[in-house]
Amino acid sequence: ELAAIAEGIHSYGAAVGFKGWSAIGARPRAYADLVEAAAGRYGLDPNLLFAVMRVESVYQEHIVSYAGAIVLAQIMPRTGTLIAHELGREDFQTSDLLDPETNLEFAAWYLRSLIDRWDGHVALAIASYNGGPHNVRRWLRDYGGDLTLDAFLEHIPFEQTHRYVRRVLGHYRAYRAQVGLSMIALDDSLPGPSVDPIDRKSVV
């Protein structure tokens, strides 16, 4: 069976493709060793990284988006370059993002940095991963005020980012449920639109 062969060579995206939408709905823990290692390295919940990968690429390890975002975690070349600099990887080349281990490590580092940037607000980190932290800061300035988190998310003007946050949170909940964990509590209050070093570098 082609799906079994693909799984045997760790081509999870191809395996899911051969099995069809039923396999995708089951939310396989693709690249589990790499996800767990990268998440552990940066103190990130691996279930969040699984959820981001699910929405970004549906585990497809060879796709590049029309905008140039690369494979599993759909990292933009400029973002990858800036992350590499923060990690001290001065020999980094954009093609390194094609490597699943590098791609997932950079995604884990970036998600961790965004969660820290937003004082633990996972939903804002997810919005920043898709829409850019500079845009989230602007939206907080323009729409934040006295809004709750849920109301703020409804006011996100980028339709893609609006849908993205809801989808990632839904998969995050499901991935945690797979391992017997309840969903994390999301802080309903909003932080102020301050600027941090990552934002100044315009990582998007």
Side-chain angles (χ1 to χ4, degrees):
E1 179 179 326
L2 291 176
I5 294 172
E7 286 179 355
I9 61 173
H10 305 295
S11 182
Y12 298 102
V16 167
F18 287 129
K19 288 181 178 180
W21 285 103
S22 61
I24 294 174
R27 297 183 182 88
R29 301 181 82 80
Y31 298 93
D33 290 348
L34 298 181
V35 169
E36 297 282 351
R41 194 172 296 122
Y42 300 109
L44 183 75
D45 183 350
N47 296 294
L48 178 58
L49 188 51
F50 278 122
V52 167
M53 177 171 53
R54 166 64 178 81
V55 174
E56 289 287 353
S57 68
V58 196
Y59 328 108
Q60 300 290 323
E61 61 267 39
H62 302 300
I63 65 170
V64 177
S65 77
Y66 68 90
I70 296 173
V71 299
L72 295 173
Q74 290 288 279
I75 297 175
M76 294 293 288
R78 174 171 168 74
T79 304
T81 299
L82 292 170
I83 294 171
H85 177 74
E86 292 293 329
L87 293 176
R89 294 182 54 164
E90 300 305 328
D91 60 345
F92 171 79
Q93 299 180 37
T94 298
S95 59
D96 294 340
L97 292 172
L98 295 169
D99 171 53
E101 184 173 5
T102 298
N103 195 275
L104 291 170
E105 178 181 3
F106 279 30
W109 181 91
Y110 189 36
L111 283 166
R112 176 75 265 168
S113 71
L114 291 171
I115 292 170
D116 292 343
R117 155 60 182 103
W118 296 116
D119 300 326
H121 285 71
V122 171
L124 297 183
I126 294 169
S128 296
Y129 193 96
N130 179 264
H134 57 294
N135 282 322
V136 173
R137 187 189 74 238
R138 178 165 53 84
W139 299 334
L140 281 171
R141 183 189 65 225
D142 293 346
Y143 308 116
D146 297 324
L147 292 181
T148 62
L149 172 65
D150 194 61
F152 171 76
L153 294 177
E154 292 300 319
H155 278 76
I156 290 177
F158 289 4
E159 183 60 28
Q160 181 190 64
T161 301
H162 178 265
R163 294 195 309 270
Y164 181 87
V165 175
R166 298 297 187 187
R167 290 177 65 201
V168 170
L169 286 175
H171 288 295
Y172 185 25
R173 182 186 303 276
Y175 268 115
R176 285 180 63 87
Q178 279 185 351
V179 291
L181 298 174
S182 59
M183 182 56 173
I184 65 168
L186 298 176
D187 189 344
D188 206 33
S189 61
L190 294 173
S194 58
V195 180
D196 72 346
I198 289 179
D199 208 6
R200 293 192 191 101
K201 293 175 183 175
S202 299
V203 176
V204 296

